[in-house]
Coordinates of all heavy atoms in Angstrom, one line a residue:
M181 N 36.0 44.8 -35.9 CA 36.0 43.5 -36.5 C 36.5 42.5 -35.5 O 36.0 41.5 -35.2 CB 36.4 43.3 -37.8 CG 36.4 42.1 -38.3 SD 36.4 42.1 -40.1 CE 36.7 40.5 -40.4
F182 N 37.8 42.8 -35.0 CA 38.4 41.9 -34.1 C 37.7 41.8 -32.9 O 37.6 40.7 -32.1 CB 39.9 42.5 -33.9 CG 40.7 41.5 -33.1 CD1 41.1 40.3 -33.5 CD2 41.1 41.8 -31.7 CE1 41.9 39.3 -32.8 CE2 41.8 41.0 -31.0 CZ 42.3 39.7 -31.5
N183 N 37.2 42.9 -32.3 CA 36.4 42.8 -31.2 C 35.2 41.9 -31.3 O 34.8 41.2 -30.4 CB 35.9 44.2 -30.9 CG 35.6 44.4 -29.4 OD1 35.9 43.6 -28.5 ND2 35.1 45.6 -29.0
T184 N 34.5 41.9 -32.5 CA 33.4 41.1 -32.8 C 33.7 39.5 -32.7 O 32.9 38.7 -32.3 CB 32.7 41.4 -34.1 OG1 32.8 42.8 -34.3 CG2 31.3 41.0 -34.2
L185 N 34.9 39.2 -33.2 CA 35.4 37.9 -33.3 C 35.6 37.3 -32.0 O 35.5 36.1 -31.8 CB 36.6 37.8 -34.2 CG 36.3 38.0 -35.7 CD1 37.6 37.9 -36.4 CD2 35.4 37.1 -36.3
L186 N 36.1 38.0 -31.0 CA 36.5 37.7 -29.8 C 35.3 37.4 -28.8 O 35.4 36.7 -27.8 CB 37.5 38.5 -29.0 CG 38.8 38.6 -29.6 CD1 39.6 39.7 -29.0 CD2 39.6 37.3 -29.6
Q187 N 34.1 37.9 -29.0 CA 33.0 37.7 -28.3 C 32.4 36.4 -28.4 O 32.2 35.9 -29.5 CB 31.9 38.8 -28.6 CG 32.3 40.3 -28.3 CD 31.1 41.2 -28.6 OE1 30.2 40.8 -29.3 NE2 31.2 42.3 -28.1
A188 N 32.3 35.7 -27.3 CA 31.7 34.3 -27.2 C 30.2 34.4 -27.3 O 29.6 35.3 -26.7 CB 32.2 33.5 -26.1
P189 N 29.5 33.5 -27.9 CA 28.1 33.5 -27.9 C 27.6 33.3 -26.5 O 28.2 32.5 -25.6 CB 27.7 32.3 -28.7 CG 28.9 31.6 -28.9 CD 30.0 32.3 -28.6
A190 N 26.5 33.9 -26.1 CA 25.9 33.8 -24.8 C 25.5 32.3 -24.6 O 24.9 31.7 -25.5 CB 24.8 34.7 -24.7
P191 N 25.7 31.8 -23.4 CA 25.2 30.5 -23.1 C 23.6 30.4 -23.2 O 23.0 31.3 -22.8 CB 25.6 30.2 -21.7 CG 26.0 31.5 -21.1 CD 26.2 32.5 -22.1
E192 N 23.1 29.3 -23.7 CA 21.7 29.2 -23.9 C 21.0 28.7 -22.5 O 21.6 28.0 -21.8 CB 21.4 28.1 -25.0 CG 21.9 28.5 -26.3 CD 21.4 27.4 -27.4 OE1 20.5 26.7 -27.1 OE2 22.0 27.5 -28.4
Q193 N 19.9 29.3 -22.3 CA 19.1 28.8 -21.1 C 18.5 27.5 -21.3 O 18.1 27.2 -22.4 CB 18.1 29.8 -20.8 CG 18.5 31.3 -20.4 CD 19.2 31.2 -19.0 OE1 18.8 30.4 -18.2 NE2 20.3 32.1 -18.8
P194 N 18.5 26.6 -20.3 CA 17.9 25.2 -20.5 C 16.3 25.5 -20.7 O 15.8 26.4 -20.1 CB 18.3 24.5 -19.2 CG 18.7 25.5 -18.3 CD 19.2 26.6 -19.0
S195 N 15.8 24.6 -21.5 CA 14.3 24.8 -21.7 C 13.7 24.4 -20.4 O 14.2 23.7 -19.5 CB 13.9 23.8 -22.8 OG 13.9 22.6 -22.5
A196 N 12.4 24.7 -20.3 CA 11.5 24.5 -19.2 C 11.4 23.0 -18.9 O 11.3 22.5 -17.9 CB 10.2 25.2 -19.3
L197 N 11.3 22.3 -20.1 CA 11.1 20.9 -20.0 C 12.3 20.2 -19.4 O 12.2 19.3 -18.5 CB 10.8 20.4 -21.4 CG 10.7 18.7 -21.5 CD1 9.5 18.4 -20.6 CD2 10.5 18.3 -22.9
M198 N 13.5 20.6 -19.9 CA 14.7 20.0 -19.4 C 14.9 20.4 -17.9 O 15.5 19.5 -17.1 CB 16.0 20.5 -20.1 CG 15.9 19.9 -21.5 SD 15.9 18.2 -21.6 CE 17.5 17.8 -21.2
S199 N 14.5 21.5 -17.3 CA 14.8 21.8 -15.9 C 13.6 21.1 -15.1 O 13.9 20.8 -13.9 CB 14.6 23.4 -15.8 OG 13.3 23.7 -16.2
M200 N 12.6 20.7 -15.7 CA 11.5 20.0 -14.9 C 11.7 18.4 -15.0 O 11.0 17.7 -14.1 CB 10.0 20.3 -15.5 CG 9.7 21.7 -15.2 SD 9.6 22.2 -13.5 CE 8.1 21.2 -13.0
L201 N 12.5 18.0 -15.8 CA 12.7 16.5 -16.1 C 13.2 15.8 -14.9 O 12.6 14.6 -14.5 CB 13.6 16.3 -17.2 CG 13.7 14.9 -17.8 CD1 12.5 14.4 -18.3 CD2 14.7 14.7 -18.8
P202 N 14.1 16.3 -14.1 CA 14.4 15.5 -12.9 C 13.3 15.4 -11.9 O 13.1 14.3 -11.3 CB 15.5 16.3 -12.2 CG 16.2 17.1 -13.4 CD 15.0 17.5 -14.4
F203 N 12.5 16.3 -11.7 CA 11.4 16.2 -10.8 C 10.5 15.3 -11.3 O 9.8 14.4 -10.5 CB 10.7 17.7 -10.6 CG 11.6 18.7 -9.9 CD1 12.1 19.8 -10.7 CD2 12.1 18.5 -8.6 CE1 13.1 20.7 -10.1 CE2 12.9 19.3 -8.0 CZ 13.4 20.5 -8.8
V204 N 10.1 15.2 -12.5 CA 9.1 14.3 -13.1 C 9.7 12.9 -13.0 O 8.9 12.0 -12.6 CB 8.8 14.6 -14.6 CG1 8.1 13.5 -15.3 CG2 8.2 16.0 -14.8
L205 N 10.9 12.7 -13.1 CA 11.4 11.3 -13.0 C 11.4 10.9 -11.6 O 11.1 9.7 -11.3 CB 12.9 11.3 -13.5 CG 13.1 11.4 -15.0 CD1 14.6 11.5 -15.3 CD2 12.6 10.1 -15.6
I206 N 11.7 11.9 -10.7 CA 11.5 11.4 -9.2 C 10.1 11.0 -8.8 O 9.9 10.0 -8.1 CB 12.1 12.6 -8.3 CG1 13.5 12.7 -8.4 CG2 11.5 12.5 -6.9 CD1 14.1 14.0 -7.8
I207 N 9.1 11.7 -9.4 CA 7.7 11.5 -9.1 C 7.4 10.1 -9.7 O 6.7 9.3 -9.0 CB 6.8 12.6 -9.7 CG1 7.0 13.7 -8.8 CG2 5.4 12.2 -9.7 CD1 6.3 15.0 -9.3
V208 N 7.7 9.8 -11.0 CA 7.6 8.5 -11.6 C 8.1 7.3 -10.8 O 7.5 6.4 -10.5 CB 8.0 8.5 -13.0 CG1 8.0 7.1 -13.7 CG2 7.2 9.5 -13.9
I209 N 9.5 7.5 -10.3 CA 10.1 6.5 -9.6 C 9.4 6.3 -8.3 O 9.1 5.2 -7.9 CB 11.7 6.8 -9.5 CG1 12.3 6.8 -10.8 CG2 12.1 6.0 -8.4 CD1 13.7 7.2 -10.7
F210 N 9.0 7.4 -7.7 CA 8.4 7.2 -6.3 C 7.1 6.6 -6.5 O 6.7 5.8 -5.7 CB 8.1 8.7 -5.7 CG 7.5 8.8 -4.3 CD1 8.4 8.5 -3.4 CD2 6.3 9.1 -4.2 CE1 7.8 8.5 -2.1 CE2 5.8 9.1 -2.9 CZ 6.5 8.8 -1.8
Y211 N 6.3 6.9 -7.5 CA 5.0 6.1 -7.9 C 5.2 4.6 -7.9 O 4.5 3.9 -7.5 CB 4.4 6.7 -9.0 CG 3.1 5.9 -9.4 CD1 1.9 6.2 -8.7 CD2 3.1 5.0 -10.5 CE1 0.8 5.4 -9.0 CE2 2.0 4.4 -10.8 CZ 0.8 4.6 -10.2 OH -0.3 3.8 -10.4
F212 N 6.1 4.2 -8.9 CA 6.3 2.8 -9.2 C 7.1 2.1 -7.9 O 6.7 0.8 -7.8 CB 7.0 2.6 -10.5 CG 6.3 2.8 -11.7 CD1 6.5 3.9 -12.4 CD2 5.3 1.8 -12.0 CE1 5.5 4.1 -13.6 CE2 4.5 1.9 -13.1 CZ 4.6 3.1 -13.9
F213 N 7.8 2.7 -7.1 CA 8.3 1.9 -6.1 C 7.8 2.1 -4.7 O 7.9 1.2 -3.7 CB 9.9 2.3 -5.8 CG 10.7 1.7 -7.1 CD1 11.1 2.5 -8.0 CD2 11.0 0.4 -7.0 CE1 12.0 2.0 -9.0 CE2 11.8 -0.2 -8.1 CZ 12.3 0.7 -9.0
M214 N 6.8 3.1 -4.5 CA 6.2 3.2 -3.2 C 4.7 3.3 -3.2 O 4.1 2.5 -2.6 CB 6.6 4.6 -2.7 CG 8.1 4.7 -2.4 SD 8.7 3.9 -1.0 CE 8.2 4.9 0.3
I215 N 4.1 4.0 -4.0 CA 2.6 4.2 -4.1 C 1.9 3.1 -4.7 O 1.1 2.4 -4.1 CB 2.3 5.5 -4.9 CG1 2.9 6.7 -4.1 CG2 0.7 5.5 -4.9 CD1 2.7 8.0 -4.8
R216 N 2.4 2.6 -5.9 CA 1.7 1.4 -6.5 C 1.7 0.2 -5.8 O 0.7 -0.5 -5.7 CB 2.3 1.3 -7.9 CG 1.5 0.4 -8.9 CD 2.0 0.5 -10.3 NE 1.4 -0.5 -11.1 CZ 2.0 -1.5 -11.7 NH1 3.3 -1.6 -11.6 NH2 1.3 -2.5 -12.3
P217 N 2.8 -0.3 -5.2 CA 2.9 -1.5 -4.4 C 1.9 -1.3 -3.2 O 1.3 -2.4 -2.9 CB 4.4 -1.6 -4.0 CG 5.1 -0.8 -5.0 CD 4.2 0.2 -5.4
Q218 N 2.0 -0.3 -2.5 CA 1.1 -0.1 -1.4 C -0.4 -0.1 -1.8 O -1.2 -0.8 -1.0 CB 1.4 1.3 -0.7 CG 0.6 1.5 0.6 CD 0.9 0.5 1.6 OE1 1.9 0.0 1.7 NE2 -0.2 0.2 2.4
Q219 N -0.8 0.5 -2.9 CA -2.2 0.4 -3.3 C -2.5 -1.2 -3.6 O -3.6 -1.6 -3.4 CB -2.3 1.2 -4.6 CG -2.4 2.6 -4.3 CD -2.5 3.5 -5.6 OE1 -2.2 3.1 -6.6 NE2 -3.0 4.8 -5.4
K220 N -1.6 -1.9 -4.2 CA -1.9 -3.3 -4.5 C -2.0 -4.1 -3.3 O -3.0 -4.9 -3.2 CB -0.6 -3.8 -5.3 CG -0.9 -5.2 -5.8 CD 0.4 -5.7 -6.6 CE 0.1 -7.1 -7.1 NZ 1.3 -7.7 -7.7
R221 N -1.1 -3.8 -2.3 CA -1.3 -4.6 -0.9 C -2.7 -4.2 -0.2 O -3.3 -5.0 0.2 CB -0.2 -4.2 -0.1 CG 1.0 -5.1 -0.1 CD 2.0 -4.9 0.9 NE 2.5 -3.6 1.0 CZ 3.6 -3.0 0.4 NH1 4.3 -3.8 -0.4 NH2 3.9 -1.8 0.6
Q222 N -3.0 -3.0 -0.4 CA -4.3 -2.5 0.3 C -5.4 -3.3 -0.4 O -6.4 -3.6 0.2 CB -4.4 -1.0 0.3 CG -5.5 -0.4 1.0 CD -5.4 -0.8 2.6 OE1 -4.3 -0.7 3.1 NE2 -6.6 -1.2 3.3
K223 N -5.4 -3.2 -1.8 CA -6.5 -3.9 -2.5 C -6.6 -5.4 -2.2 O -7.6 -5.9 -2.0 CB -6.3 -3.7 -3.9 CG -7.4 -4.1 -4.8 CD -7.1 -3.8 -6.4 CE -8.3 -4.2 -7.2 NZ -8.0 -3.9 -8.6
E224 N -5.5 -6.1 -2.1 CA -5.4 -7.5 -1.7 C -6.1 -7.7 -0.3 O -6.7 -8.6 0.0 CB -4.0 -8.0 -1.8 CG -3.6 -8.2 -3.2 CD -2.1 -8.6 -3.2 OE1 -1.4 -8.7 -2.2 OE2 -1.5 -8.8 -4.4
L225 N -5.7 -6.8 0.6 CA -6.1 -6.9 2.0 C -7.6 -6.7 2.1 O -8.3 -7.5 2.8 CB -5.5 -5.9 2.9 CG -5.7 -5.9 4.3 CD1 -5.3 -7.4 5.0 CD2 -4.9 -4.9 5.2
N226 N -8.1 -5.7 1.3 CA -9.6 -5.5 1.2 C -10.3 -6.6 0.7 O -11.3 -7.0 1.2 CB -9.9 -4.2 0.5 CG -9.5 -3.0 1.2 OD1 -9.4 -3.0 2.5 ND2 -9.3 -1.9 0.4
N227 N -9.8 -7.3 -0.4 CA -10.5 -8.5 -1.0 C -10.4 -9.6 0.1 O -11.4 -10.5 0.1 CB -9.7 -8.8 -2.2 CG -9.9 -7.9 -3.4 OD1 -10.9 -7.1 -3.4 ND2 -9.0 -7.9 -4.4
F228 N -9.3 -9.7 0.8 CA -9.3 -10.9 1.8 C -10.3 -10.7 2.9 O -11.0 -11.6 3.2 CB -7.9 -10.9 2.4 CG -7.8 -11.6 3.7 CD1 -7.9 -13.1 3.6 CD2 -7.6 -11.1 4.9 CE1 -7.7 -13.8 4.9 CE2 -7.5 -11.7 6.2 CZ -7.7 -13.1 6.1
R229 N -10.5 -9.4 3.3 CA -11.4 -9.1 4.4 C -12.9 -9.3 3.9 O -13.8 -9.9 4.6 CB -11.2 -7.8 4.8 CG -10.0 -7.5 5.7 CD -9.7 -6.1 6.1 NE -8.6 -5.9 6.9 CZ -7.9 -4.8 7.2 NH1 -8.4 -3.7 6.4 NH2 -6.8 -4.8 7.9
E230 N -13.2 -9.0 2.6 CA -14.4 -9.3 2.1 C -14.8 -10.8 1.9 O -15.9 -11.2 1.8 CB -14.6 -8.4 0.7 CG -14.7 -6.9 0.9 CD -15.7 -6.4 1.8 OE1 -16.9 -7.1 1.8 OE2 -15.6 -5.6 2.7
A231 N -13.7 -11.6 1.6 CA -13.9 -13.0 1.5 C -13.9 -13.8 2.7 O -13.9 -15.0 2.6 CB -12.8 -13.5 0.4
L232 N -13.7 -13.2 3.9 CA -13.8 -14.0 5.0 C -15.2 -14.7 5.2 O -16.2 -14.3 4.9 CB -13.8 -13.0 6.4 CG -12.4 -12.5 6.7 CD1 -12.4 -11.5 7.8 CD2 -11.4 -13.5 7.0
K233 N -14.9 -15.9 5.8 CA -16.2 -16.8 6.1 C -16.0 -17.5 7.3 O -14.9 -17.5 7.9 CB -16.3 -17.8 4.8 CG -15.2 -18.7 4.7 CD -15.4 -19.5 3.4 CE -14.3 -20.5 3.1 NZ -12.9 -19.9 2.9
K234 N -17.1 -18.0 7.8 CA -17.2 -18.6 9.1 C -16.2 -19.8 9.1 O -16.2 -20.6 8.1 CB -18.6 -19.1 9.4 CG -18.8 -19.6 10.8 CD -20.3 -19.9 10.9 CE -20.6 -20.5 12.2 NZ -21.9 -20.8 12.5
G235 N -15.4 -20.0 10.1 CA -14.6 -21.1 10.2 C -13.0 -20.7 9.8 O -12.2 -21.6 10.1
D236 N -12.7 -19.6 9.2 CA -11.4 -19.2 8.9 C -10.6 -18.8 10.1 O -11.2 -18.3 11.1 CB -11.5 -17.9 8.0 CG -11.9 -18.2 6.5 OD1 -12.0 -19.4 6.2 OD2 -12.2 -17.2 5.9
H237 N -9.4 -19.2 10.1 CA -8.5 -18.9 11.2 C -7.7 -17.7 10.7 O -7.1 -17.7 9.7 CB -7.5 -20.0 11.4 CG -8.2 -21.2 12.0 ND1 -8.4 -21.4 13.3 CD2 -8.7 -22.3 11.4 CE1 -9.0 -22.6 13.5 NE2 -9.2 -23.2 12.4
V238 N -7.8 -16.7 11.7 CA -7.1 -15.3 11.3 C -6.3 -14.8 12.3 O -6.3 -15.2 13.5 CB -8.3 -14.3 10.8 CG1 -9.0 -14.7 9.6 CG2 -9.3 -14.1 12.1
V239 N -5.6 -13.6 12.0 CA -4.8 -12.9 13.0 C -5.3 -11.5 12.9 O -5.4 -10.9 11.9 CB -3.2 -13.0 12.6 CG1 -2.4 -12.3 13.6 CG2 -2.8 -14.5 12.6
T240 N -5.4 -10.9 14.0 CA -5.8 -9.4 14.1 C -4.5 -8.6 14.1 O -3.4 -9.1 14.2 CB -6.6 -9.2 15.4 OG1 -5.7 -9.2 16.6 CG2 -7.8 -10.1 15.4
T241 N -4.7 -7.3 13.8 CA -3.6 -6.3 13.9 C -3.0 -6.4 15.4 O -1.8 -5.9 15.4 CB -4.1 -5.0 13.6 OG1 -5.2 -4.5 14.3 CG2 -4.5 -4.8 12.2
G242 N -3.6 -6.7 16.4 CA -3.0 -6.8 17.7 C -2.3 -8.1 17.9 O -1.8 -8.2 18.9
G243 N -2.3 -9.0 17.1 CA -1.6 -10.2 17.2 C -2.5 -11.3 17.8 O -1.8 -12.4 18.2
I244 N -3.7 -11.2 17.8 CA -4.6 -12.1 18.4 C -5.0 -13.2 17.3 O -5.5 -12.8 16.3 CB -5.8 -11.5 19.1 CG1 -5.4 -10.6 20.3 CG2 -6.8 -12.6 19.6 CD1 -6.6 -9.9 20.8
Y245 N -4.8 -14.4 17.6 CA -5.2 -15.6 16.8 C -6.6 -16.0 17.1 O -6.9 -16.2 18.2 CB -4.2 -16.8 16.8 CG -3.0 -16.5 16.2 CD1 -2.0 -15.7 16.8 CD2 -2.6 -17.1 15.0 CE1 -0.7 -15.4 16.3 CE2 -1.4 -16.9 14.4 CZ -0.5 -16.1 15.1 OH 0.8 -15.8 14.4
G246 N -7.5 -16.3 16.1 CA -8.8 -16.8 16.5 C -9.5 -17.3 15.2 O -8.9 -17.4 14.1
K247 N -10.6 -18.0 15.6 CA -11.5 -18.6 14.5 C -12.7 -17.7 14.3 O -13.3 -17.3 15.2 CB -11.7 -19.9 14.8 CG -12.6 -20.8 13.7 CD -12.8 -22.2 14.1 CE -13.9 -22.4 15.2 NZ -14.3 -23.8 15.3
V248 N -13.0 -17.4 13.1 CA -14.2 -16.6 12.8 C -15.4 -17.4 13.1 O -15.6 -18.6 12.6 CB -14.3 -16.2 11.2 CG1 -15.5 -15.4 11.0 CG2 -13.0 -15.4 10.9
V249 N -16.3 -16.8 13.9 CA -17.5 -17.5 14.3 C -18.7 -16.8 13.7 O -19.6 -17.5 13.3 CB -17.7 -17.4 15.9 CG1 -19.0 -18.0 16.4 CG2 -16.5 -18.1 16.6
K250 N -18.7 -15.5 13.5 CA -19.8 -14.8 13.0 C -19.3 -13.6 12.3 O -18.3 -12.9 12.8 CB -20.7 -14.3 14.1 CG -22.0 -13.7 13.7 CD -22.9 -13.4 14.9 CE -23.3 -12.0 15.0 NZ -24.1 -11.7 16.2
I251 N -19.9 -13.2 11.2 CA -19.6 -12.0 10.5 C -20.8 -11.2 10.2 O -21.8 -11.6 9.7 CB -18.9 -12.3 9.0 CG1 -17.7 -13.2 9.2 CG2 -18.7 -11.0 8.3 CD1 -17.1 -13.7 7.9
A252 N -20.7 -9.9 10.7 CA -21.8 -9.0 10.5 C -21.2 -7.9 9.5 O -20.3 -8.1 8.8 CB -22.2 -8.3 11.8
D253 N -21.8 -6.8 9.4 CA -21.6 -5.8 8.4 C -20.0 -5.4 8.5 O -19.3 -5.7 7.5 CB -22.3 -4.5 8.5 CG -23.8 -4.7 8.2 OD1 -24.1 -5.6 7.3 OD2 -24.7 -4.1 8.7
N254 N -19.7 -4.8 9.6 CA -18.2 -4.4 9.7 C -17.7 -5.1 11.0 O -16.7 -4.7 11.4 CB -18.3 -2.8 10.0 CG -18.2 -2.2 8.6 OD1 -17.9 -2.8 7.5 ND2 -18.8 -0.9 8.7
K255 N -18.4 -6.0 11.6 CA -17.9 -6.7 12.7 C -17.7 -8.2 12.5 O -18.3 -8.8 11.7 CB -19.0 -6.6 13.9 CG -19.1 -5.3 14.5 CD -20.1 -5.3 15.6 CE -20.5 -4.0 16.2 NZ -21.4 -4.0 17.2
V256 N -16.5 -8.7 13.0 CA -16.3 -10.1 13.1 C -16.1 -10.6 14.4 O -15.4 -10.0 15.3 CB -14.9 -10.3 12.2 CG1 -14.5 -11.7 12.1 CG2 -15.1 -9.7 10.9
T257 N -16.8 -11.7 14.7 CA -16.6 -12.3 16.0 C -15.7 -13.4 15.9 O -15.9 -14.4 15.1 CB -18.2 -12.8 16.5 OG1 -18.9 -11.7 16.6 CG2 -17.9 -13.4 17.8
L258 N -14.7 -13.4 16.7 CA -13.5 -14.4 16.7 C -13.6 -15.3 18.0 O -13.9 -14.7 19.0 CB -12.2 -13.9 16.6 CG -11.9 -13.1 15.5 CD1 -10.5 -12.6 15.6 CD2 -12.0 -13.9 14.2
E259 N -13.5 -16.5 18.0 CA -13.4 -17.5 19.1 C -11.9 -17.5 19.4 O -11.0 -18.1 18.5 CB -14.0 -18.7 18.8 CG -13.9 -19.7 20.0 CD -14.4 -21.1 19.7 OE1 -14.5 -21.5 18.6 OE2 -14.9 -21.7 20.8
I260 N -11.3 -16.9 20.4 CA -9.9 -16.9 20.7 C -9.5 -18.1 21.7 O -8.4 -18.3 21.8 CB -9.5 -15.6 21.3 CG1 -10.3 -15.1 22.4 CG2 -9.7 -14.5 20.2 CD1 -9.7 -14.0 23.2
A261 N -10.5 -18.7 22.3 CA -10.3 -19.8 23.2 C -11.6 -20.5 23.2 O -12.7 -20.1 22.8 CB -9.8 -19.4 24.6
D262 N -11.6 -21.8 23.9 CA -12.9 -22.5 24.0 C -13.9 -21.6 24.7 O -13.7 -21.4 25.9 CB -12.7 -23.7 24.5 CG -11.9 -24.7 23.7 OD1 -11.9 -24.6 22.4 OD2 -11.2 -25.7 24.2
G263 N -14.9 -21.3 24.0 CA -16.0 -20.5 24.7 C -15.8 -19.1 24.9 O -16.6 -18.3 25.5
V264 N -14.6 -18.4 24.3 CA -14.4 -17.0 24.5 C -14.4 -16.4 23.1 O -13.7 -16.7 22.4 CB -13.0 -16.9 25.0 CG1 -12.7 -15.4 25.3 CG2 -12.9 -17.5 26.4
N265 N -15.5 -15.6 22.9 CA -15.7 -15.0 21.7 C -15.5 -13.4 21.9 O -15.9 -12.9 22.9 CB -17.1 -15.1 21.3 CG -17.4 -16.6 20.8 OD1 -16.4 -17.3 20.5 ND2 -18.7 -17.0 20.9
V266 N -14.8 -12.9 20.9 CA -14.5 -11.4 21.0 C -14.9 -10.8 19.8 O -14.6 -11.4 18.6 CB -13.0 -11.2 21.2 CG1 -12.7 -9.7 21.3 CG2 -12.5 -11.9 22.5
E267 N -15.5 -9.6 19.7 CA -15.9 -8.9 18.5 C -14.7 -8.0 18.1 O -14.2 -7.2 18.9 CB -17.2 -8.2 18.7 CG -18.4 -9.0 18.7 CD -19.7 -8.1 18.7 OE1 -19.7 -6.8 19.0 OE2 -20.8 -8.7 18.5
F268 N -14.5 -8.0 16.7 CA -13.5 -7.1 16.3 C -14.1 -6.3 15.1 O -15.0 -6.8 14.4 CB -12.3 -7.8 15.8 CG -11.3 -8.3 16.8 CD1 -11.6 -9.6 17.3 CD2 -10.5 -7.4 17.4 CE1 -10.7 -10.1 18.2 CE2 -9.7 -8.1 18.4 CZ -9.8 -9.4 18.9
D269 N -13.6 -5.2 14.8 CA -13.9 -4.5 13.5 C -13.2 -5.2 12.4 O -12.2 -5.8 12.6 CB -13.4 -2.9 13.5 CG -13.8 -2.1 12.4 OD1 -15.2 -1.9 12.4 OD2 -13.2 -1.8 11.6
K270 N -13.9 -5.3 11.3 CA -13.4 -6.1 10.2 C -12.0 -5.5 9.7 O -11.2 -6.3 9.3 CB -14.3 -6.0 9.0 CG -14.1 -7.1 8.0 CD -15.2 -7.0 6.9 CE -16.2 -8.2 6.9 NZ -17.1 -8.3 5.8
S271 N -11.7 -4.3 9.8 CA -10.4 -3.7 9.5 C -9.4 -4.1 10.4 O -8.2 -4.0 10.1 CB -10.6 -2.1 9.5 OG -10.7 -1.7 10.7
A272 N -9.6 -4.7 11.6 CA -8.7 -5.1 12.5 C -8.1 -6.6 12.1 O -7.2 -7.1 12.7 CB -9.2 -5.2 13.9
I273 N -8.7 -7.2 11.1 CA -8.3 -8.5 10.6 C -7.1 -8.3 9.6 O -7.3 -7.5 8.8 CB -9.4 -9.3 10.0 CG1 -10.6 -9.5 10.9 CG2 -8.9 -10.7 9.6 CD1 -10.3 -10.2 12.2
L274 N -6.0 -8.9 10.0 CA -4.8 -8.6 9.2 C -4.5 -9.6 8.2 O -4.2 -9.4 7.0 CB -3.6 -8.5 10.2 CG -2.3 -8.1 9.6 CD1 -2.3 -6.8 8.9 CD2 -1.2 -8.1 10.7
S275 N -4.4 -10.9 8.6 CA -4.2 -12.0 7.6 C -4.8 -13.2 8.1 O -5.3 -13.4 9.2 CB -2.6 -12.1 7.6 OG -2.0 -12.7 8.8
Q276 N -4.6 -14.3 7.3 CA -5.1 -15.7 7.6 C -4.0 -16.3 8.3 O -2.7 -16.1 8.2 CB -5.2 -16.4 6.3 CG -6.0 -17.8 6.6 CD -6.7 -18.1 5.4 OE1 -6.7 -17.5 4.2 NE2 -7.6 -19.2 5.5
A277 N -4.3 -17.1 9.5 CA -3.4 -17.6 10.4 C -2.8 -18.9 9.7 O -3.5 -19.6 8.9 CB -4.0 -18.0 11.6
G278 N -1.7 -19.2 10.1 CA -1.0 -20.5 9.5 C -1.6 -21.7 10.3 O -2.5 -21.7 11.0
D279 N -0.9 -22.8 10.1 CA -1.3 -24.2 10.7 C -1.0 -24.2 12.3 O -1.3 -25.2 12.8 CB -0.6 -25.2 10.0 CG -1.1 -25.4 8.6 OD1 -2.3 -25.0 8.4 OD2 -0.4 -25.9 7.7
A280 N -0.5 -23.1 12.8 CA -0.2 -23.2 14.3 C -1.5 -23.0 15.0 O -1.4 -23.0 16.3 CB 0.8 -21.9 14.6
Q281 N -2.6 -23.0 14.4 CA -3.9 -22.8 15.1 C -4.2 -24.1 15.8 O -3.8 -25.2 15.4 CB -4.9 -22.3 14.0 CG -6.2 -21.7 14.7 CD -6.0 -20.6 15.6 OE1 -5.0 -20.1 15.6 NE2 -7.0 -20.3 16.4
N282 N -5.1 -24.0 16.8 CA -5.6 -25.1 17.5 C -5.8 -26.4 16.7 O -6.7 -26.8 16.1 CB -6.9 -24.9 18.3 CG -6.7 -23.8 19.3 OD1 -5.6 -23.3 19.6 ND2 -7.8 -23.2 19.8

């Protein structure tokens, strides 16, 4: 009887849910701080590119400032200097240029 009283109960194993909880929390945090904002930025950039129109002043991913002269399906023709037109892929347009344009 004394021997039975001294025996400590065996420690319980954590449930599968409790062992997976830290990983689930890391994934949720990663989604809200990394993936979701990037998807939002990409959606805004795609909407900007689709709304381009003739006369807009833009900046390319290479840092070239220009004015939109012509828009085809996936091509945008920019005037980067007087009489100098260059064709770019629409995905190369990064943002709208500020007032530093000509």
Side-chain angles (χ1 to χ4, degrees):
M181 177 159 166
F182 185 70
N183 203 9
T184 321
L185 294 175
L186 291 178
Q187 288 180 349
E192 294 183 22
Q193 294 290 330
S195 68
L197 178 64
M198 291 304 286
S199 63
M200 294 297 289
L201 188 62
F203 296 113
V204 171
L205 287 175
I206 289 172
I207 291 171
V208 168
I209 290 170
F210 188 75
Y211 174 77
F212 280 107
F213 286 106
M214 300 287 286
I215 297 172
R216 190 167 174 246
Q218 181 62 32
Q219 287 176 341
K220 185 179 177 185
R221 270 193 301 271
Q222 189 64 40
K223 188 176 181 180
E224 289 172 357
L225 185 58
N226 287 339
N227 290 340
F228 165 72
R229 288 176 180 156
E230 290 302 317
L232 281 176
K233 60 188 179 300
K234 192 174 177 179
D236 286 347
H237 293 273
V238 296
V239 180
T240 67
T241 55
I244 298 173
Y245 287 75
K247 182 171 77 171
V248 176
V249 176
K250 182 174 129 184
I251 299 174
D253 292 330
N254 286 328
K255 291 182 185 178
V256 176
T257 304
L258 299 181
E259 182 179 28
I260 58 174
D262 291 333
V264 180
N265 293 338
V266 181
E267 282 187 351
F268 286 93
D269 191 70
K270 201 178 246 187
S271 64
I273 305 300
L274 184 62
S275 66
Q276 193 151 7
D279 292 330
Q281 193 63 13
N282 298 349

